[in-house]
Amino acid sequence: MTTADALQQAILDSANYSIISTTATGIITTFNATAASWLGYSPEEVIDQITPAVFHDAAEMQQRSRQLAAELGTEIEPGFGVFVAKAKRGEPDERDWTYIRKDGSRFPVRLSVTAVCDRQGQIVGFLGIGRDISDRIQAMQQAQTARAEAETMRNRLTNSLESITDAFFALDQQWCFTYVNAQAETLLQKQRQEILGQNIWDVFAEAVGSAFYQQYHLAVERQISVQFEAFYPPLAAWYVVHAYPSQEGLSVYFQDITARKQIEATLQHHTQALETFSTNLKHLHRINTTNYRVFEDLLADCLTTGCAILKMPTGIISQVVGQTYTVRAVQSDLDFLSPGLEFVLAETYCATVVSQKRTITYSHVGAEAEMQAHPVYQNLHLEAYLGAPIFVNDAVYGTLNFSSTQIREVAFAPHEQEFIELMAQSIGRFIAADQASQAQQRDTTALRRQHRRSQLFAELALKIRQSLRLETILQTTVTEVQQFLHADRVLIFQLRLNQSGGTVVQEAVVSDWPIILGQEIADPCFATDFLEQYRQGRVGQMADIEAGNIAPCYVEMLRPFGVRANLVVPILQNQTLWGLLIAHQCSQPRQWSEFETDLLKQLADQVGIALAQSQLVEALRESEARFRTLADSAPVLLWMSGTDRLYSFFNQGWLDFTGRSLSQELGSGWVAGVHQDDLEFCLNSYQQAFETRQPFQIEYRLRRFDAQYRWVLNTGVPRFTPEGQFEGYIGSCIDISDRREIERLKDEFVSVVSHELRTPLTSISGALDLLAGGVLSAQPQQAQRLLNIAAANAERLIRLINDILDIERIESGRSLMQKQTCNAAQLITTALDLTQNIADQAQVTLVNIPLDIAIEADPDRLVQVLTNLLSNAIKFSPQGGTVWIEATLLSIPSTPALLHPCTPSLSYSPTLQITVRDQGRGIPPSKLETIFGRFQQVDASDSREKGGTGLGLAICRSIVQHHEGQIWAESEPDQGSTFYVTLPVLQPRSQPLESEPGGPLVLVCDDDTSVLAVMQAKLQHQGYQVQTAASGAEAIALATAHPPDVLLLNLMMPEMNGWETLTALKENKTTRRIPVIILSGLHPKAGQTLDPDISDWIVKPPDERRLLQALEQALGQVNQCGRILIVEDDLNLAQVLMAVFKRWGVETYHVQTGTEAIQLSQQIRPDLVILDLVLPESNGFAVVDWLRQHNRLCHVPLVIYTSADLDSTIRERLQLEQTLFLTKGRITPEEFEQKVINLLIRVARDKEETSHD
Amino acid sequence: MTKHILLIDDERDIREVAEVALSVVGGWQVSTAASGREGIAKAIANPPDAILLDVMMPDMDGFATLQALRSQAATRSIPVILLTAKVQSADQHRFELWAVAAVLVKPFKAMQLAEQIAAILQWPTAS
């Protein structure tokens, strides 16, 4: 080292600075002793080290780096560069750094860095000289601390003044500011410096005289603290001030309460709004709770309230439908606004309300440019408007709006809007409720109407359907409908079958209008499709026929009836248009309500049903009547029972038979008539049949009216409805007693006959068998005896067989009586001769009391009768007894009492009576009649003992009856018996019927002579004269010689048959007109009308009644006897009767009432009157009374033909000279016909005789 | 031992013929009665081995007679053969009821009558 260097080192080391030099890049080159002592590093330790890395703080270097960057504008790495940056630029750089000692402790240095340049001015290194500044910093820090403490003290005071929230200032006694805190600065908007030392009244000149001025002065003068609030306009602020006087002057604390005041004001404002709102709500509540008389009152109240609250003159509740705005309710000073007024929605302020569904307000429409063109503004200059939507059921119903032509200075308050919205809500709810109530009311009304209709319909239907009679139904319908509708006329119009027109069949019309009942109306309009429409159930109605829209033909038709309005409903019967039910209003036009139309339609339906039903009822009634007539006229006993097994019907025949009344027989009453022994069987059978529903037949005994039990055959068949439902039984009983009796008799007869025949046969065959067997060859006597037995029995057998055949022949009519005039005495003598022998054998005396009288008789047969009676008498007479035979003439007319009860009628003709009396054992009374039966001997053994066949008396009776006589026996036991025979006496002149010269001549032509004989007898008996011809040729000859009144002609004849004979007769002028009746075994060809030349055709064997009828008709007797007047109100019956009598060629007249009968009988003088008793107008009795008074008609034959059974008193009342009482239903039509015709013929004959006389 | 038979019939001729047939052909002892009453009396008095009874008789007919015979101890067990000309179904029923030995029909074969009866009653034939 050089001295310089040493010096340098010494200098360096002696300096109280740290000196550190580096290379240009920062490598330490010099590190002086001070540096080493301060930093604790030896120079060796740090030379050649990079300085910053050794004892500089990295954070400090970074901070310096940022500073330099900001200062120099270039980035310098936080390293060595930051120490030399300035030095490099030739600028001095001295600043405080922190050195870090080797031990890590730190101390501040003031470091000055200088660049070391070479001669060329190139920086070759840097020199840093540092001074330890720890002491200075410490002192500075102490001073700072003391200052800080003073500061702290001051700050504490200031802070206490500053930190108080109140503003504060202090004034001295000259009103100058001595202190102003920060808060006060802010509030007073003045800087402290500006006002400190300044007079307050200078600074705030505006405050002079203000509350502040007065209060401050008050506080100072009175030395009292004051407190007040005041507004300071220049600052637009409110303050609350507390001022305290002091020695120095006045301390003032204050706060800005503007915000509070504002809140208070707002609060007050709100409170007011709330109060208003509350008041308004009360109105709303009132509205909501008031019970308005009508809904419109509610709306009016809303509007009134709203207008008052909003202070707007116009209030409207509108209804908006589509684009139409309709004023529903209004309160306004604008006269033209009224409910119902309509606007186009778009042209109202409410359009926005509706479209946006919210409240809209305008307080000054004129101020809004876009609104000035609005039609409302243009037309009405409405400046202010508040509108709220009314929601009904969530949809906009309309609006509630208020408006005024006055500009509204203050905007609508929220509470006003709110109130209106609430009101709109209320209205909405009210409208909804109103709508619901209206709907309900509508429903209720509809329901009530429906109910009323049902009720009316039920009433009317009941009235209409009360009757089953169609006429009554229709009558009731028109009457009731007319009353119900208050129509001027109600009618039922029945269409003709071809529906070209019809008739008014019922009508109810008020007296002022023409009656059209019964009118035939042929409506030209019917030709059109009118009817088709009615057929389909259409209702026709016209409110006013003069209205002009009606077819002219229709108007023409209706006008004459005075019709102004009409209602026409179709009456359909089983889908067929039957007619129309029509209501007319004549006085004025009339709108028919749906209710009326419906009701009428329903009633027409009822009428239709009634029609169908009445048809059924009619058919039923007819069928019922037919059934009853049939049942009652049936000759059988009919009954009917229901499902309950009880009998519900008996015909007249049944009641007549049992002699009991219907009420006695009904149910199970009939059982009383069943014979005790048959009852169980009868009921069981019936029960069994009922269970199986099978037809049944039961035979049992049923008590007849005369208490006699008769066997009946009860045949029952189950009844079923057409639907197959079991309904009970119907049955008939026939009296089979006679049949049973006949069967019994037949059985018995066969039994008896077989017995009777076998008995002799047994003897014969037994005897002959033994004889033939040769067992008796050794005993000739016994053999002879057997031969005798055989012979006798053979004879008996022959006799028996003869008798049986004889009686059969007589009774069947095959054995004809060969009648001739005989002397009764002679016949008796013959009989006596024949029986004398056996009388002698029996030692019986025969006494004859004869009478010489002529009779018409078959002598052989009569002798047979007498012989039989005599031999019987002899057989039963005791030995030595007497038998008397006596003939007497009964000249006095016989009475039934005198005659045998069997005598059929009064006999006025002289009669021969023959009696045979014996002294035998007599006949028990019970046998008196039966002995005349076959094999009915009193004692069965008689036939053997007395040698009779048991048929003798039966044969006698047959013979006598064939002589128109009677035979009977009288006896008292052990007193003998008397047999009587009566016979008509032959008196040619005194027998009117058989010998009448005027009787019509009948020619009978038949090849069978037996037929001729029978016919002759029959016809003569009926008073005809008879000629017979056995061939056609003979008939023609006889007819030509003596033309008969009528010819009975057989057809099947040999040689000339009937047809040939007829032709021949018809060709002959003389015989052409003779009526011919065919009497043949053949039947006329079915379906063929009789040959016009033939008057009638009778089939053999002829029915006598039929034959006589044919003869009478052929003879034309009837048509001479004129007129029958039939008085009968039953048209059907009358027609039948007229047809019947017309067949007889009788003129018939018919009237339906008694009055007509009286009138007509005066005109026509009837020959016979048939009179029903029950008649409209004068009844049958009146007619009879009248006839009786009449001098000629009192003789008229009368037939009372009525359905009632008449007792004798009534019959007496009705009796004219010749009166026949015939009961309808009791007599068959044929019987009726015959009886009336007979009466007519009798009358005709009488008339003829009278005229002959 | 000769069989004894009682014949009851109201018809005299038949009685005669039958008696011959039974006595001569059958070789039996024959009693006859003309009525039921008489027959009963005879049957009690002298009980026969068998009774031939006519049905159709006056007063007391065959059935009444039979009933009477059955009611008497003496005659109760005597076999009865009915003889009838009346054969009808109704009667047939009654015959069965009475349990008679047999019913013979009139007219009968006189030569075979005894043989028939013997067969019915299982009597040895006479011949």
Side-chain angles (χ1 to χ4, degrees):
Chain A
M1 187 176 26
T2 63
T3 321
D5 283 347
L7 182 62
Q8 224 183 321
Q9 194 62 49
I11 295 166
L12 282 175
D13 290 336
S14 64
N16 199 24
Y17 297 94
S18 63
I19 299 162
I20 300 165
S21 69
T22 68
T23 63
T25 55
I27 294 168
I28 298 171
T29 52
T30 309
F31 192 76
N32 75 345
T34 308
S37 104
W38 285 355
L39 285 166
Y41 292 99
S42 64
E44 293 80 23
E45 276 179 311
V46 295
I47 287 170
D48 292 336
Q49 298 285 325
I50 296 289
T51 48
V54 183
F55 37 75
H56 277 285
D57 182 15
E60 229 171 30
M61 283 188 291
Q62 276 185 352
Q63 193 184 352
R64 183 60 187 157
S65 162
R66 281 195 295 270
Q67 278 175 356
L68 286 170
E71 227 178 279
L72 304 174
T74 56
E75 206 67 29
I76 293 169
E77 284 292 314
F80 181 69
V82 300
F83 296 97
V84 296
K86 282 207 168 179
K88 274 183 181 174
R89 291 172 172 236
E91 292 173 20
D93 183 23
E94 190 182 74
R95 62 179 55 247
D96 294 343
W97 288 96
T98 302
Y99 275 169
I100 302 171
R101 288 187 190 96
K102 197 180 174 182
D103 61 4
S105 61
R106 294 164 176 248
F107 65 94
V109 289
R110 183 121 194 133
L111 185 64
S112 161
V113 179
T114 318
V116 181
C117 296
D118 61 10
R119 286 171 207 147
Q120 284 83 29
Q122 285 284 325
I123 295 173
V124 286
F126 296 95
L127 182 68
I129 299 165
R131 184 173 34 100
D132 185 349
I133 55 169
S134 294
D135 294 342
R136 197 192 74 202
I137 284 174
Q138 205 169 2
M140 214 168 75
Q141 277 175 345
Q142 283 170 355
Q144 227 169 2
T145 304
R147 211 170 40 244
E149 277 173 6
E151 189 81 359
T152 304
M153 286 304 291
R154 198 189 66 217
N155 278 353
R156 252 182 224 148
L157 175 67
T158 313
N159 280 350
S160 66
L161 288 175
E162 296 296 319
S163 65
I164 55 170
T165 50
D166 287 359
F168 170 77
F169 61 84
L171 297 173
D172 59 19
Q173 297 202 347
Q174 280 73 49
W175 299 100
C176 289
F177 286 101
T178 55
Y179 186 83
V180 177
N181 77 349
Q183 192 67 17
E185 277 185 296
T186 311
L187 292 187
L188 300 175
Q189 298 175 14
K190 300 278 186 199
Q191 290 301 313
R192 217 171 282 182
Q193 297 87 321
E194 283 177 68
I195 55 172
L196 281 174
Q198 300 288 323
N199 186 299
I200 186 173
W201 308 121
D202 296 337
V203 178
F204 301 101
E206 292 94 332
V208 175
S210 71
F212 299 97
Y213 184 87
Q214 291 164 8
Q215 289 294 333
Y216 292 167
H217 279 89
L218 187 69
V220 172
E221 282 159 21
R222 303 253 185 102
Q223 282 296 301
I224 53 166
S225 62
V226 293
Q227 180 187 337
F228 62 92
E229 285 179 6
F231 183 70
Y232 185 62
L235 290 176
W238 276 90
Y239 301 100
V240 59
V241 183
H242 290 83
Y244 305 94
S246 66
Q247 294 274 313
E248 291 81 22
L250 186 70
S251 297
V252 176
Y253 299 84
F254 64 97
Q255 282 175 349
D256 183 345
I257 56 163
T258 313
R260 198 194 83 201
K261 277 286 176 193
Q262 266 169 357
I263 287 167
E264 267 179 16
T266 312
L267 213 59
Q268 197 175 0
H269 183 66
H270 278 260
T271 308
Q272 273 172 5
L274 214 58
E275 269 170 28
T276 317
F277 189 57
S278 155
T279 314
N280 294 349
L281 279 180
K282 279 179 194 159
H283 283 299
L284 207 56
H285 178 71
R286 174 180 55 76
I287 289 168
N288 283 345
T289 52
T290 303
N291 203 357
Y292 293 93
R293 189 177 54 83
V294 290
F295 187 64
E296 299 308 320
D297 286 356
L298 164 80
L299 300 183
D301 197 359
C302 285
L303 292 176
T304 311
T305 308
C307 286
I309 287 166
L310 296 176
K311 298 182 181 65
M312 310 263 272
T314 298
I316 292 174
I317 292 166
S318 73
Q319 183 172 7
V320 174
V321 178
Q323 288 308 307
T324 308
Y325 170 104
T326 310
V327 175
R328 172 83 200 260
V330 61
Q331 169 169 327
S332 179
D333 51 359
L334 299 171
D335 292 340
F336 72 96
L337 287 173
S338 62
L341 195 64
E342 292 185 355
F343 298 93
V344 175
L345 177 64
E347 294 178 2
T348 64
Y349 291 158
C350 290
T352 320
V353 175
V354 172
S355 66
Q356 298 187 2
K357 297 184 180 175
R358 64 180 183 86
T359 307
I360 299 291
T361 59
Y362 304 117
S363 44
H364 185 187
V365 174
E368 297 180 36
E370 71 275 21
M371 290 295 289
Q372 286 173 3
H374 198 285
V376 176
Y377 189 71
Q378 288 293 312
N379 297 329
L380 306 173
H381 297 287
L382 291 179
E383 292 284 6
Y385 166 87
L386 188 156
I390 297 172
F391 290 96
V392 172
N393 300 327
D394 300 331
V396 175
Y397 166 88
T399 63
L400 169 64
N401 62 81
F402 296 92
S403 53
S404 170
T405 51
Q406 298 298 310
I407 295 162
R408 194 177 171 91
E409 297 298 346
V410 185
F412 288 100
H415 73 89
E416 285 174 323
Q417 287 192 31
E418 206 172 330
F419 173 73
I420 293 306
E421 280 164 9
L422 282 173
M423 183 181 268
Q425 268 178 31
S426 277
I427 292 170
R429 274 198 301 276
F430 280 121
I431 289 173
D434 181 52
Q435 279 178 350
S437 127
Q438 273 181 8
Q440 194 186 357
Q441 207 169 352
R442 264 200 306 279
D443 288 351
T444 312
T445 312
L447 213 64
R448 199 172 293 144
R449 199 158 50 211
Q450 185 74 35
H451 176 66
R452 176 74 186 129
R453 186 184 325 192
S454 307
Q455 213 172 10
L456 254 174
F457 171 70
E459 272 172 31
L460 290 180
L462 183 70
K463 279 185 187 167
I464 289 169
R465 299 296 298 281
Q466 243 163 9
S467 170
L468 275 176
R469 285 192 60 234
L470 184 59
E471 202 187 322
T472 316
I473 290 169
L474 299 184
Q475 178 64 56
T476 315
T477 305
V478 293
T479 313
E480 291 297 327
V481 171
Q482 190 264 322
Q483 282 172 9
F484 162 68
L485 290 179
H486 299 294
D488 292 327
R489 180 189 294 114
V490 171
L491 60 96
I492 287 175
F493 182 72
Q494 183 179 5
L495 283 165
R496 278 192 217 107
L497 282 181
N498 62 11
Q499 306 208 328
S500 63
T503 315
V504 176
V505 292
Q506 279 298 346
E507 183 185 29
V509 60
V510 295
S511 54
D512 310 341
W513 301 99
I515 292 167
I516 61 174
L517 182 63
Q519 278 207 23
E520 295 269 335
I521 299 172
D523 180 356
C525 286
F526 282 170
T528 69
D529 53 8
F530 262 155
L531 285 181
E532 186 48 40
Q533 292 184 355
Y534 287 132
R535 214 167 279 131
Q536 288 166 5
R538 196 194 71 118
V539 173
Q541 49 179 318
M542 289 179 206
D544 188 358
I545 69 159
E546 305 293 348
N549 52 353
I550 318 285
C553 57
Y554 205 45
V555 177
E556 284 313 305
M557 182 194 71
L558 292 175
R559 198 170 279 146
F561 309 140
V563 181
R564 191 69 195 270
N566 76 357
L567 178 56
V568 185
V569 295
I571 299 171
L572 297 169
Q573 181 194 354
N574 300 330
Q575 278 94 50
T576 308
L577 183 61
W578 178 87
L580 304 169
L581 174 58
I582 301 173
H584 284 162
Q585 201 66 32
C586 299
S587 46
Q588 62 205 24
R590 174 166 180 175
Q591 192 70 50
W592 305 96
S593 75
E594 195 189 328
F595 172 55
E596 291 164 339
T597 314
D598 283 356
L599 191 83
L600 212 59
K601 211 172 158 184
Q602 280 177 319
L603 288 177
D605 289 346
Q606 285 296 308
V607 173
I609 294 165
L611 281 168
Q613 214 171 50
S614 108
Q615 230 178 24
L616 279 176
V617 167
E618 200 48 50
L620 205 65
R621 194 176 287 150
E622 203 175 295
S623 132
E624 176 89 7
R626 205 160 41 224
F627 168 73
R628 293 217 175 253
T629 312
L630 209 64
D632 281 343
S633 61
V636 293
L637 284 57
L638 294 180
W639 55 267
M640 209 151 73
S641 65
T643 49
D644 53 3
R645 305 185 184 190
L646 297 176
Y647 280 47
S648 54
F649 168 81
F650 293 95
N651 74 337
Q652 194 56 45
W654 178 294
L655 302 177
D656 288 349
F657 180 88
T658 59
R660 283 155 61 90
S661 68
L662 186 62
S663 58
Q664 282 177 305
E665 294 291 70
L666 281 177
S668 296
W670 61 278
V671 170
V674 178
H675 193 282
Q676 202 64 34
D677 296 347
D678 301 336
L679 189 56
E680 195 183 331
F681 162 72
C682 171
L683 292 180
N684 283 347
S685 305
Y686 181 55
Q687 179 97 357
Q688 209 175 347
F690 226 99
E691 277 158 14
T692 55
R693 295 182 182 177
Q694 292 295 313
F696 66 84
Q697 278 201 328
I698 326 170
E699 285 183 22
Y700 58 87
R701 279 161 290 180
L702 184 64
R703 192 169 59 216
R704 201 166 62 177
F705 62 91
D706 55 3
Q708 194 184 335
Y709 278 98
R710 302 288 290 180
W711 279 97
V712 293
L713 171 66
N714 190 348
T715 308
V717 287
R719 296 187 291 131
F720 294 98
T721 61
E723 291 76 37
Q725 187 161 1
F726 176 64
E727 284 202 307
Y729 271 82
I730 184 165
S732 62
C733 282
I734 46 173
D735 183 347
I736 54 163
S737 297
D738 292 342
R739 198 178 81 191
R740 278 177 79 101
E741 180 63 12
I742 287 165
E743 274 169 13
R744 193 186 61 76
L745 285 174
K746 190 196 79 191
D747 283 354
E748 200 172 287
F749 180 72
V750 169
S751 164
V752 167
V753 165
S754 70
H755 181 264
E756 293 300 316
L757 292 173
R758 276 179 178 141
T759 299
L761 260 178
T762 306
S763 302
I764 294 165
S765 82
L768 291 178
D769 198 27
L770 289 170
L771 286 169
V775 291
L776 297 175
S777 52
Q779 301 173 43
Q781 209 180 342
Q782 206 164 17
Q784 185 57 47
R785 174 71 198 140
L786 286 179
L787 270 177
N788 289 346
I789 287 173
N793 278 284
E795 228 172 281
R796 180 177 157 196
L797 193 60
I798 291 163
R799 203 164 58 235
L800 191 64
I801 290 169
N802 282 344
D803 276 1
I804 289 169
L805 293 176
D806 205 12
I807 192 167
E808 208 280 327
R809 226 174 25 238
I810 295 166
E811 292 198 346
S812 68
R814 279 200 296 275
S815 169
L816 284 171
M817 301 290 131
Q818 301 296 323
K819 286 181 192 170
Q820 48 188 275
T821 306
C822 316
N823 190 309
Q826 211 169 358
L827 295 176
I828 292 169
T829 305
T830 309
L832 282 170
D833 287 348
L834 288 169
T835 50
Q836 192 58 57
N837 222 8
I838 53 164
D840 291 347
Q841 282 172 16
Q843 300 174 20
V844 169
T845 309
L846 296 175
V847 176
N848 180 16
I849 307 165
L851 178 70
D852 193 10
I853 193 163
I855 53 167
E856 177 89 359
D858 181 331
D860 294 345
R861 290 298 190 182
L862 226 53
V863 168
Q864 187 186 351
V865 171
L866 296 176
T867 306
N868 194 297
L869 292 178
L870 283 169
S871 54
N872 276 351
I874 293 163
K875 273 185 236 170
F876 292 102
S877 290
Q879 267 191 4
T882 304
V883 169
W884 290 269
I885 181 162
E886 184 180 4
T888 51
L889 184 65
L890 300 177
S891 51
I892 309 157
S894 309
T895 64
L898 289 170
L899 283 168
H900 183 261
C902 291
T903 308
S905 61
L906 291 172
S907 172
Y908 290 89
S909 50
T911 303
L912 170 68
Q913 179 175 292
I914 300 170
T915 54
V916 175
R917 183 157 57 90
D918 64 55
Q919 295 173 305
R921 64 186 184 202
I923 304 165
S926 63
K927 301 258 182 166
L928 278 174
E929 180 56 31
T930 56
I931 49 169
F932 293 98
R934 301 168 189 191
F935 303 114
Q936 292 286 347
Q937 295 97 327
V938 172
D939 189 320
S941 61
D942 287 354
S943 59
R944 268 76 73 183
E945 272 181 33
K946 314 295 178 188
T949 58
L951 290 169
L953 285 174
I955 294 171
C956 287
R957 172 166 277 185
S958 277
I959 293 170
V960 171
Q961 281 176 346
H962 277 81
H963 282 83
E964 287 82 42
Q966 276 111 37
I967 182 168
W968 71 95
E970 286 173 10
S971 176
E972 291 201 11
D974 302 324
Q975 296 288 310
S977 311
T978 308
F979 283 78
Y980 296 84
V981 173
T982 60
L983 290 166
V985 170
L986 185 63
Q987 284 182 316
R989 290 291 148 194
S990 66
Q991 286 188 317
L993 286 180
E994 292 189 20
S995 58
E996 195 175 17
L1001 178 61
V1002 181
L1003 175 57
V1004 185
C1005 174
D1006 200 311
D1007 60 322
D1008 184 341
T1009 48
S1010 67
V1011 171
L1012 288 179
V1014 172
M1015 292 306 294
Q1016 185 168 28
K1018 277 188 176 175
L1019 294 174
Q1020 280 177 345
H1021 184 64
Q1022 290 296 328
Y1024 290 99
Q1025 297 183 78
V1026 183
Q1027 275 187 318
T1028 58
S1031 71
E1034 196 186 340
I1036 294 165
L1038 275 172
T1040 317
H1042 301 283
D1045 293 311
V1046 63
L1047 169 64
L1048 283 172
L1049 180 60
N1050 186 22
L1051 288 178
M1052 302 289 284
M1053 293 188 293
E1055 291 169 31
M1056 194 175 196
N1057 73 22
W1059 294 118
E1060 290 162 346
T1061 310
L1062 179 67
T1063 313
L1065 286 169
K1066 290 296 167 185
E1067 282 169 358
N1068 186 324
K1069 212 171 88 182
T1070 325
T1071 56
R1072 187 191 305 157
R1073 293 178 193 285
I1074 300 168
V1076 176
I1077 297 169
I1078 300 295
L1079 180 65
S1080 169
L1082 303 173
H1083 285 267
K1085 279 180 192 161
Q1088 209 172 319
T1089 48
L1090 284 183
D1091 188 310
D1093 288 335
I1094 299 169
S1095 128
D1096 212 334
W1097 187 310
I1098 307 286
V1099 179
K1100 284 196 280 191
D1103 172 64
E1104 195 164 320
R1105 192 176 61 80
R1106 174 88 180 81
L1107 174 67
L1108 295 177
Q1109 199 176 314
L1111 282 169
E1112 278 158 8
Q1113 214 167 346
L1115 289 165
Q1117 285 181 328
V1118 177
N1119 59 18
Q1120 299 160 11
C1121 64
R1123 309 186 174 103
I1124 293 184
L1125 173 61
I1126 300 167
V1127 189
E1128 171 63 66
D1129 62 338
D1130 183 336
L1131 267 179
N1132 292 334
L1133 179 58
Q1135 274 167 5
V1136 171
L1137 294 178
M1138 283 171 72
V1140 164
F1141 296 122
K1142 272 184 184 147
R1143 213 171 59 205
W1144 287 89
V1146 180
E1147 269 182 76
T1148 53
Y1149 296 86
H1150 168 235
V1151 292
Q1152 281 182 280
T1153 68
T1155 314
E1156 286 174 319
I1158 292 167
Q1159 286 167 357
L1160 194 65
S1161 44
Q1162 279 173 297
Q1163 292 168 21
I1164 62 165
R1165 297 278 179 78
D1167 294 303
L1168 187 139
V1169 175
I1170 296 172
L1171 181 64
D1172 185 11
L1173 284 184
V1174 185
L1175 296 168
E1177 299 173 39
S1178 320
N1179 63 17
F1181 290 93
V1183 176
V1184 174
D1185 287 344
W1186 182 86
L1187 288 172
R1188 192 176 283 129
Q1189 301 298 317
H1190 199 278
N1191 56 356
R1192 292 197 65 147
L1193 289 170
C1194 63
H1195 302 296
V1196 74
L1198 183 61
V1199 177
I1200 304 289
Y1201 189 43
T1202 182
S1203 50
D1205 283 319
L1206 305 175
D1207 63 24
S1208 56
T1209 326
I1210 292 178
R1211 287 187 181 220
E1212 234 167 81
R1213 255 191 80 188
L1214 293 167
Q1215 183 88 38
L1216 287 187
E1217 270 184 19
Q1218 300 187 69
T1219 306
L1220 216 53
F1221 293 95
L1222 302 176
T1223 309
K1224 289 176 186 172
R1226 287 287 176 87
I1227 183 170
T1228 65
E1230 291 75 22
E1231 283 172 334
F1232 177 79
E1233 179 182 348
Q1234 193 58 51
K1235 280 180 195 282
V1236 173
I1237 288 296
N1238 286 346
L1239 178 61
L1240 205 54
I1241 292 167
R1242 202 160 66 225
V1243 170
R1245 280 191 192 152
D1246 289 353
K1247 227 186 197 176
E1248 224 171 291
E1249 277 168 26
T1250 316
S1251 62
H1252 285 313
D1253 293 346
Chain B
M1 201 181 82
T2 310
K3 293 288 181 187
H4 175 207
I5 194 159
L6 173 61
L7 170 65
I8 307 172
D9 196 318
D10 63 323
E11 200 72 33
R12 190 192 62 212
D13 291 350
I14 293 178
R15 278 200 308 274
E16 259 186 63
V17 171
E19 189 179 352
V20 171
L22 297 173
S23 59
V24 175
V25 180
W28 298 326
Q29 182 197 340
V30 179
S31 315
T32 61
S35 71
R37 231 170 288 279
E38 189 189 345
I40 292 160
K42 283 191 169 178
I44 292 167
N46 182 16
D49 295 310
I51 298 171
L52 197 55
L53 178 60
D54 182 27
V55 173
M56 193 162 172
M57 295 186 292
D59 296 335
M60 192 174 192
D61 70 2
F63 293 111
T65 308
L66 187 58
Q67 192 174 12
L69 288 169
R70 293 274 196 256
S71 65
Q72 297 285 328
T75 56
R76 185 173 298 151
S77 49
I78 301 171
V80 173
I81 294 171
L82 289 175
L83 196 60
T84 178
K86 204 175 152 188
V87 184
Q88 285 191 312
S89 54
D91 294 325
Q92 206 78 49
H93 179 61
R94 293 171 77 183
F95 299 149
E96 281 165 23
L97 272 178
W98 284 106
V100 291
V103 178
L104 294 179
V105 177
K106 289 182 187 176
F108 49 80
K109 293 278 183 194
M111 284 301 289
Q112 286 142 36
L113 186 63
E115 207 177 325
Q116 273 182 298
I117 291 169
I120 292 162
L121 301 172
Q122 294 173 336
W123 287 351
T125 45
S127 53

